[in-house]
């Protein structure tokens, strides 16, 4: 019997487990997150201000719905060019410019008195939503690859801005009524207009702080790169697959942020302030858990995190889509019997929506963790397209919620739409993973378990 001795020499791994993060990168992350939180609040403020706006201007429900819709639409359309521009000229210039440009229609919104002008200004104010792809590309340029999942997660937590207006209404329930008819600084009226007035000032202040705090010499991944080269990654199918994932975890988040207040009021009979607070219990985990999702993606891999995300989303929406009611059976003797009675109360409903928000918060970071790994030199264009489709999901889903409710007669059909969207994402992702594994390891295709290793001794 012979024994073969094998000596294995390895090179020491000199790469640090936690790469050093520069002071400039930390300042970029801090200011971009603050700016994104503010811009997100501006983008979605009509979700809660719609009630006093409708009352003052005498708007119909469809007219009111279009105000939020056009804002969401314009906050999605320019994400691709905004991300590409950031790769070319840097996030510092683009962020400051967008803050100041958004402040202009936000100011004129405080002076509006008619529906036509309100609709135009809502569209222009919605431009704020495009800052997302700017911050993604900006932070990807500054942060080391092994820490990008966490950094992009922290930045993405700025989604919590969706709850700012809602929380102000909850914490200061009389702010709209008590300021109506007043004038501040000689130019800002009170009432519901006090919110765009506050945001106008805040946008200018944050623009100035960004100019003073972030490094003057910016980093950009696509400086001097031809336009065709920047758009080339969009030919890959995986980019469009990531876009669908993001429509499920972000587009649905935006849609539910605007839809849930009315859902709570109509189906559980609560006051607007209570509905806003309950909606915040969805918005907070869906936003603040994004850094956790980034950390999970760094540690366990983005694909595994996406499996967890879609699993929880399928479970929660599968329960939430069940309509309240029971089956009535006509017996042979002419009597009737009722079976399988089902009804969900406001507490279990809110808990399930909270879990749904947790899954979305973690999943949003996992989707964007894929992008710098597959397309490190085109984060702006790829991230912009993915973000655009996510935002457009927030535009198209509310009408789908409304039409399926009319067609089915069940308010819970809202979650049936989300269940189908999540199932489509899960099936496409799993098919891709299985196909990839079979292609890379065809010898394992017929195995259900890991093959037993065999040793040959001679």
């Amino acid at each position: 019997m012979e024994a073969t001795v094998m000596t294995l020499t390895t090179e020491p791994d000199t790469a640090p487990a936690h790469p050093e993060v520069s002071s400039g990168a930390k300042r970029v992350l801090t200011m971009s997150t603050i700016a994104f939180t503010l811009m997100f609040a501006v983008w979605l403020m009509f979700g809660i201000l719609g009630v006093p706006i409708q009352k003052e201007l005498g708007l119909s429900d469809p007219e009111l719905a279009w105000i939020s819709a056009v804002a969401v639409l314009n906050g999605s359309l320019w994400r691709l060019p905004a991300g590409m521009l950031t790769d070319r000229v840097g996030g510092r210039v683009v962020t400051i410019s967008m803050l100041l440009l958004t402040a202009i229609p936000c100011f004129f919104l405080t002076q509006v008195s008619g529906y036509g002008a309100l609709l135009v200004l809502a569209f222009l104010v919605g431009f704020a939503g495009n800052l997302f792809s700017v911050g993604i590309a900006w932070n990807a340029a500054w942060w080391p690859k092994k820490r990008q999942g966490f950094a992009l997660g922290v930045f993405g937590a700025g989604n919590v801005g969706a709850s700012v207006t809602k929380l102000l209404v909850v914490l200061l329930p009389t702010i709209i009524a008590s300021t109506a008819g007043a004038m501040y600084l000689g130019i800002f009226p009170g009432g519901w207009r006090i919110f765009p007035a506050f945001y106008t000032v805040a946008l200018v202040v944050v623009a100035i702080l960004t100019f003073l705090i972030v490094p003057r010499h910016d980093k950009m991944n696509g400086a001097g790169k031809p336009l065709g080269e920047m758009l080339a990654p969009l030919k890959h199918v995986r980019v469009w697959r990531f876009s669908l994932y993001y429509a499920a975890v972000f587009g649905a988040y935006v849609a539910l942020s605007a839809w849930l207040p009315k859902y709570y009021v109509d189906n559980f009979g609560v006051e607007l302030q209570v509905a806003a607070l309950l909606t915040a219990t969805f918005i907070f985990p869906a936003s603040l858990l994004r850094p956790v999702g980034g950390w999970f993606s760094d540690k366990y891999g983005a694909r595994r995190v996406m499996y967890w995300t879609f699993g929880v989303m399928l479970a929660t929406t599968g329960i939430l889509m069940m309509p309240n009611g029971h089956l009535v059976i006509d017996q042979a003797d002419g009597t009737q019997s009722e079976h399988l009675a089902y009804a969900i109360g406001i507490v279990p409903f809110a808990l399930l929506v909270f879990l749904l928000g947790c899954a979305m918060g973690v999943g949003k970071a996992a989707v964007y963790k894929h992008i710098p790994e597959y397309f490190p030199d085109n984060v702006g264009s790829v991230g912009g397209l993915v973000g655009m489709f996510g935002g457009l999901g927030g535009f198209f889903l509310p009408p789908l919620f409304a039409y399926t409710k009319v067609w089915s007669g069940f308010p819970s059909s809202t979650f049936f739409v989300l269940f189908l969207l999540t199932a489509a994402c899960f099936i496409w992702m799993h098919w891709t993973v299985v196909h990839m594994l079979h292609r890379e390891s065809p010898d394992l295709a017929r195995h259900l378990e890991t093959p037993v290793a065999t040793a040959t001794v001679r």
Side-chain angles (χ1 to χ4, degrees), residues 69-433:
V70 296
V72 171
L73 178 63
N74 196 33
S76 308
L77 290 176
W78 308 104
R79 291 189 172 198
L80 174 57
M84 294 172 61
L85 185 63
T86 302
D87 274 347
R88 275 183 171 271
V89 304
R92 183 176 186 271
V93 172
V94 180
T95 298
I96 294 172
S97 300
M98 288 184 66
L99 286 164
L100 294 176
L101 285 173
T102 305
I104 297 172
C106 202
F107 167 75
F108 284 106
L109 193 61
T110 65
Q111 315 296 317
V112 71
S113 58
Y115 176 68
L118 176 63
L119 197 63
V120 172
L121 289 171
F123 178 80
L124 295 176
V125 165
F127 182 68
N130 295 290
L131 190 68
F132 174 74
S133 57
V134 176
I136 290 292
W138 195 15
N139 282 287
W142 276 91
W143 280 74
K145 185 175 180 179
K146 289 188 176 181
R147 302 291 298 278
Q148 283 179 348
F150 172 76
L152 299 184
V154 170
F155 166 76
N159 288 162
V160 77
S163 66
V164 170
T165 309
K166 295 178 178 66
L167 285 180
L168 287 174
V169 170
V170 172
L171 297 175
L172 303 169
T174 62
I175 186 172
I176 294 177
S178 63
T179 60
M183 186 71 69
Y184 298 90
L185 302 178
I187 52 174
F188 294 127
W192 64 264
R193 293 173 176 79
I194 198 69
F195 288 94
F198 165 76
Y199 289 140
T200 300
V201 176
L203 287 165
V204 175
V205 170
V206 172
I208 295 172
L209 290 176
T210 303
F211 176 82
L212 296 174
I213 293 174
V214 301
R216 298 289 180 93
H217 299 287
D218 210 349
K219 293 183 179 181
M220 51 210 81
N221 285 327
K225 187 180 294 185
L227 180 62
E229 186 177 341
M230 297 181 74
L231 293 174
L234 305 189
K235 299 177 182 178
H236 294 275
V237 175
R238 66 164 55 99
V239 175
W240 301 93
R241 181 160 45 88
F242 296 160
S243 299
L244 181 64
Y245 296 169
Y246 204 61
V249 295
F250 176 75
Y253 159 76
V254 172
L256 284 179
S257 296
W259 191 259
L260 277 175
K262 183 174 176 58
Y263 193 98
Y264 276 115
V265 171
D266 291 348
N267 295 284
F268 296 103
V270 299
E271 296 294 329
L272 181 61
Q273 288 80 7
V274 176
L277 183 60
L278 290 171
T279 303
T281 65
F282 162 77
I283 292 173
F284 272 103
S287 305
L288 298 181
L289 286 181
R290 197 160 179 162
V292 178
W295 182 82
F296 280 156
S297 299
D298 288 337
K299 185 174 179 63
Y300 301 109
R303 184 195 305 159
R304 182 177 297 178
V305 174
M306 289 307 301
Y307 270 107
W308 295 343
T309 295
F310 289 146
V312 174
M313 289 181 65
L314 285 172
T316 52
T317 56
I319 298 173
L320 289 168
M321 73 180 184
M322 298 297 293
N324 292 346
H326 54 267
L327 297 178
V328 178
I329 298 178
D330 291 323
Q331 305 292 344
D333 60 1
T335 61
Q336 291 182 334
S337 60
E338 298 177 356
H339 303 271
L340 300 177
Y342 173 81
I344 187 170
I346 190 170
V347 173
F349 178 89
L351 288 174
L352 287 168
V353 170
F354 171 80
L355 290 175
L356 180 62
C358 291
M360 288 179 174
V362 171
K364 284 185 286 189
V367 172
Y368 266 87
K369 172 63 176 177
H370 285 90
I371 295 174
E373 288 186 348
Y374 285 98
F375 308 100
D377 298 324
N378 295 281
V379 175
S381 57
V382 177
L385 180 72
V386 172
M388 181 183 74
F389 269 81
L392 289 176
F395 172 72
F396 286 109
L397 282 173
L400 283 177
F401 295 163
Y403 288 129
T404 53
K405 179 183 176 182
V406 172
W407 172 73
S408 67
F410 299 129
S412 59
S413 61
T414 291
F415 298 98
F416 177 67
V417 173
L418 298 183
F419 180 86
L420 291 181
L421 176 60
T422 305
C425 292
F426 183 88
I427 292 170
W428 194 3
M429 181 180 73
H430 187 64
W431 180 87
T432 301
V433 171

